[in-house]
Amino acid sequence: MALVLLHVLPAHGAEPDLPEQRAEVLANLARARFGTLSQAERTLVRAAPFRELAWVGPDPDPDSPANDPRHGESWGPERSVRAAILRWLYTDSDVNRFLDPSGLGVAGARIDGKLDLSYVKADKPLTIVGCYIPDGIDVTFAHFQSLEVRRSSTGPIAADMSELAGDLAVRFGTYASLSLFRARIGGNLDCTGSTLLGGGQQSVNAVGTTIAGDMVFHDGFTTDGIVDLRLARVGQSVSFHRAVFSGPDDTGLNAERAAIGGTLYWVDIQHTPNTQLDLENTKADALWDDEASWPAPGKLTIDGFTYTEFAGGPADVDPRLRWLERQPPGYRPQPYRQLAKVLRDSGRESGATEVLIAKERALRRDARLGRTERAWNLMLDVTIGYGYRPLRALWWIAGFVIVGTVLFGLGYRARMVTPTDEAAYRVFVESGIAPPHYPPFHAFVYALENFLPVVELDQGEHWRPNPPPGTNGRSRILRGPFGFGIVPGRMLRWYLWFHILAGWTLTPLLFAGLSGLVRPD
């Protein structure tokens, strides 16, 4: 190589200073290494020392139909560049020093062979625009300043274990797949407008990837596979906006156990019934989504997903409960607790309570409880709202006391609630009136005393349902003979027992709910 350099350097062996001189040196070096160069290769090599894209097509207009890489198969040899030349420009230290600090830029070329830049360590960027690279790009274990592939058509792009100080952009083109397994990117990953085809498999493999900036999938980003961000670490946001998930197979986002320093955006998504959103054990600072973008029921996994707020989209309890219902069948308490925490932290206390109550109902519905456990769960629900709404028990207490007042009052008028004293009993059965010295009967006080535990109001000790069989009485309410045979005396006695048991159940539940003893959380 040293002899070649002496041959191609200017007179007296001086180092070329002007870009034109460097271009001539590079052209001579390329001919010495690769033989005859195609027109596209000469254009590329001569443009390397300049801060510009090397357009090798017939038209430098990127919107020209002649530069559409989807028709790259028909491009002739005049637009072909051997992939080995690109690797040579970046790996040969005697050649790389002639490149402009802005790096190499090639546009409108057909790259013959796989663009193999694996294990390359370069402090300059690489820009590829409007190129056709059917065999794909390999930058595994490489170190670049940045890499941009734009408006191109390529085979798979492999960047596993690579390191980029700046951005990785794969934008506005059609690409077989993108693999970034355990890659480290100091800037952003930008897939805006690109089409990444995974055939129902991974279209983007960013498992274990570390990205200091944002991950962007915007403006028509399209895939027929899975964007796999498991265990990824993203310093800023992960944003899917106006993205399209298509195809008959499984598609969607798998961000299981990923850590997102900013907001997770899932907005204006076109999806299929097979599109999944897996956020199991994912951490994000905030969530911004919309209801139309939620996946189909059973395709949303958010168990272990933690976030601090809803930066946008539905933030009220009703739509968020519908969001939770999109999870697969089974009981998962954590998504309910997380949602309740976020609502409470945002000042929506009543909404947080609704969510926690919904969690307990989901326990009864989905946790395969035994009959006794389900019955107790239902009891807590209807009486005190699982302790979150203890005053609900007051309505039950009032209802029992009112019903008891009516039934015991009717029983008294029918002489079916009688004195417990034997002498007073005979007088009452004969006349319907207790002796003057005997404590009078008050239906409301009787119902209240028998309902409230450990309360003595001088009624329960002196009066009991004790009707003779077939007893008929004269009702003061109906003002005429009243046959109480339709409600036998024994049923009134049974109701009294039920009334007492209900009081011994509801009253402790009320106080337990007020004290917070029965709240599950």
Side-chain angles (χ1 to χ4, degrees), residues 2 7 11 30 48 57 90 93-94 191 196 227 287 289 315 317 323 356 372-373 397 432 457 461 516:
H7 176 73
Y90 271 94
S93 58
D94 292 327
C191 295
L196 286 157
V227 178
L287 174 66
D289 61 0
V317 61
W323 179 57
L356 293 174
T372 303
E373 293 173 306
I397 292 173
L457 298 176
E461 180 183 356

Side-chain angles (χ1 to χ4, degrees), residues 78-98:
E78 74 283 356
R79 301 186 67 169
S80 297
V81 174
R82 282 168 282 182
I85 293 179
L86 286 166
R87 181 177 177 86
W88 171 71
L89 288 169
Y90 271 94
T91 57
D92 192 316
S93 58
D94 292 327
V95 172
N96 184 260
R97 60 195 176 99
F98 292 118

Side-chain angles (χ1 to χ4, degrees), residues 461-494:
E461 180 183 356
H462 297 91
W463 296 89
R464 283 288 186 272
N466 188 29
T471 295
N472 288 334
R474 191 170 183 84
S475 172
R476 299 176 187 174
I477 298 177
L478 302 178
R479 301 188 183 281
F482 181 74
F484 219 76
I486 57 173
V487 181
R490 63 178 178 272
M491 295 190 67
L492 186 61
R493 189 180 298 116
W494 291 344

Side-chain angles (χ1 to χ4, degrees), residues 51 118 121 164 178 255 266 343 352 438 484 516:
R51 189 184 179 93
S118 59
K121 293 185 178 181
L164 287 90
L178 173 62
W266 188 260
L343 292 176
Y438 200 77
F484 219 76

Side-chain angles (χ1 to χ4, degrees), residues 43-55:
T43 301
L44 170 65
V45 171
R46 288 183 175 276
F50 296 89
R51 189 184 179 93
E52 61 184 29
L53 279 173
W55 277 97

